[in-house]
Amino acid sequence: MRKILVTGALGQIGSELTMKLRDTYGNDNIIASSRRIKEGHEKLIESGPFEVLNINDGKEVSNVVRKHNVNTIINLAAILSAVGEKDPLACWNVNMNGLINILEVGKEEKCQVFTPSSIAAFGPNTPPDNTPQDTIQRPSTIYGVTKVAGEILCDYYFKKFGVDTRGVRFPGLISYETLPGGGTTDYAVHIYYDAVKNKEYTSFIDKGTKMDMMYMPDALDAIINLMEADPSKLIHRNAFNVTAMSFAPEELADSIRKIIPEFKLKYDVDHVRQAIAESWPNSLDDTAAREEWGWNPKYDIDSMTKDMLEKLSAKLK
Ligand code: NAD
């Protein structure tokens, strides 16, 4: 039976993944954890075991894993791209020193370890269209540097110590439960909130800037399906390219206008995040994930827009 520790469980992915895992594997088998308790997550905290846990404290990670007989760690604790550029050392510390603590405990306690990478692991000299699974990775952000190094570190722990490490390169994730934690694709979440509230949005990413994106229900399926995949079929293991759609801000606005015809999109470009966006691919090739563990997203841009606008209209009433 799985006993799963989720780190960073109150973040954008973790807040939804924890509840889905509790529905799938039973509330008591999912140990949610977060560096600190945050308001608005009472339902999650009360629905099953919860620990205050900083992944930079390796001893504490080990104590929590032993206390709950954990055999699977989903490590979502991280500092994301835009926040990382403001504090590169903090980004390195959490994303690298925190990750190696998790991998060490995974080695000692024989846990499967899932860690997401990102499209940020690519850089300006990566082929931008239909970006291959195995290609040039010279990112220009500290977040990207930690993501490439993290991918390789997870491969190393599998090859050297036999830790069952797995991971995907997520694109920008769009969701309505918890706001994103300071990434470059966050505009594609904020646009929906402002569409519902004000029928207009000012984008910090410029028109024509395409990036890969995915709706949260598909991201949660990606984590669970890869975690459950037959290991004998996995050639890549860590850092699978996964994508569901690729669009620029004006294309997302067109999709919103199919439901809110008067919606207006303006631009006030943030040059830091624009430069990051321009260094990332336009669209990924996710053939390896499709072939090795059956990746198959359900949502495209219009079905995502319909669901986001319905859910946010109800939430923001
Ligand atoms: P998030 O910022 O919403 O959540 C991360 C959580 O980690 C936060 O709640 C933060 O408080 C916590 N945290 C930070 N330092 C910690 C520490 N030392 N110990 C414990 N917790 C700590 O991020 P997210 O969007 O949920 O991302 C989760 C993972 O997915 C990250 O590895 C991220 O790089 C990756 N990812 C996310 C996206 C996206 O669009 N959301 C895209 C690609 C990859």
Side-chain angles (χ1 to χ4, degrees), residues 7-14 34-36 38 53-56 75-80 94-95 115-119 143 147 169-173 178-182 185 216:
T7 70
L10 303 186
Q12 189 192 7
I13 302 178
S34 174
R35 189 169 45 172
R36 59 181 76 95
K38 296 181 190 169
L53 180 62
N54 179 346
I55 64 163
N56 285 106
N75 180 37
L76 302 178
I79 304 286
L80 273 67
V94 175
N95 299 8
T115 310
S117 183
S118 161
I119 52 171
Y143 175 67
K147 286 297 170 186
R169 291 182 186 130
F170 275 133
L173 300 182
T178 302
L179 282 169
T185 52
M216 189 59 84

Side-chain angles (χ1 to χ4, degrees), residues 3 76 120 186 212 231:
K3 277 269 185 184
L76 302 178
D186 294 7
D212 286 276

Side-chain angles (χ1 to χ4, degrees), residues 262-275:
E262 62 274 38
F263 176 71
K264 284 197 187 65
L265 177 61
K266 297 177 188 165
Y267 297 91
D268 180 11
V269 175
D270 165 9
H271 295 289
V272 173
R273 284 179 286 186
Q274 180 62 26

Side-chain angles (χ1 to χ4, degrees), residues 112-287:
Q112 186 186 61
V113 177
F114 185 98
T115 310
S117 183
S118 161
I119 52 171
F122 298 116
N125 59 357
T126 299
D129 296 306
N130 216 18
T131 301
Q133 174 66 41
D134 301 308
T135 186
I136 301 164
Q137 291 183 266
R138 307 282 295 176
S140 49
T141 60
I142 188 69
Y143 175 67
V145 170
T146 67
K147 286 297 170 186
V148 182
E151 292 178 2
I152 300 168
L153 193 61
C154 289
D155 281 347
Y156 179 80
Y157 267 73
F158 169 65
K159 288 195 195 111
K160 177 94 178 169
F161 305 116
V163 180
D164 184 1
T165 53
R166 303 182 185 203
V168 295
R169 291 182 186 130
F170 275 133
L173 300 182
I174 294 160
S175 66
Y176 55 85
E177 283 287 348
T178 302
L179 282 169
T184 301
T185 52
D186 294 7
Y187 89 85
V189 176
H190 296 148
I191 194 172
Y192 287 111
Y193 280 78
D194 282 15
V196 170
K197 285 193 278 196
N198 309 321
K199 301 196 172 11
E200 68 170 54
Y201 176 68
T202 303
S203 173
F204 60 78
I205 293 295
D206 208 356
K207 61 174 163 306
T209 313
K210 275 184 179 281
M211 285 183 277
D212 286 276
M213 302 280 178
M214 185 184 295
Y215 196 31
M216 189 59 84
D218 282 326
L220 304 185
D221 284 346
I223 295 175
I224 294 175
N225 292 345
L226 177 53
M227 210 173 74
E228 293 291 359
D230 174 355
S232 69
K233 301 224 163 68
L234 301 181
I235 299 163
H236 288 89
R237 284 200 152 261
N238 294 296
F240 281 97
N241 282 1
V242 285
T243 186
M245 59 194 98
S246 161
F247 55 73
E250 68 276 17
E251 294 170 278
L252 187 53
D254 286 342
S255 176
I256 292 171
R257 270 187 218 108
K258 289 178 188 166
I259 296 172
I260 306 176
E262 62 274 38
F263 176 71
K264 284 197 187 65
L265 177 61
K266 297 177 188 165
Y267 297 91
D268 180 11
V269 175
D270 165 9
H271 295 289
V272 173
R273 284 179 286 186
Q274 180 62 26
I276 296 176
E278 284 173 14
S279 76
W280 291 352
N282 301 327
S283 64
L284 298 185
D285 175 358
D286 60 6
T287 310

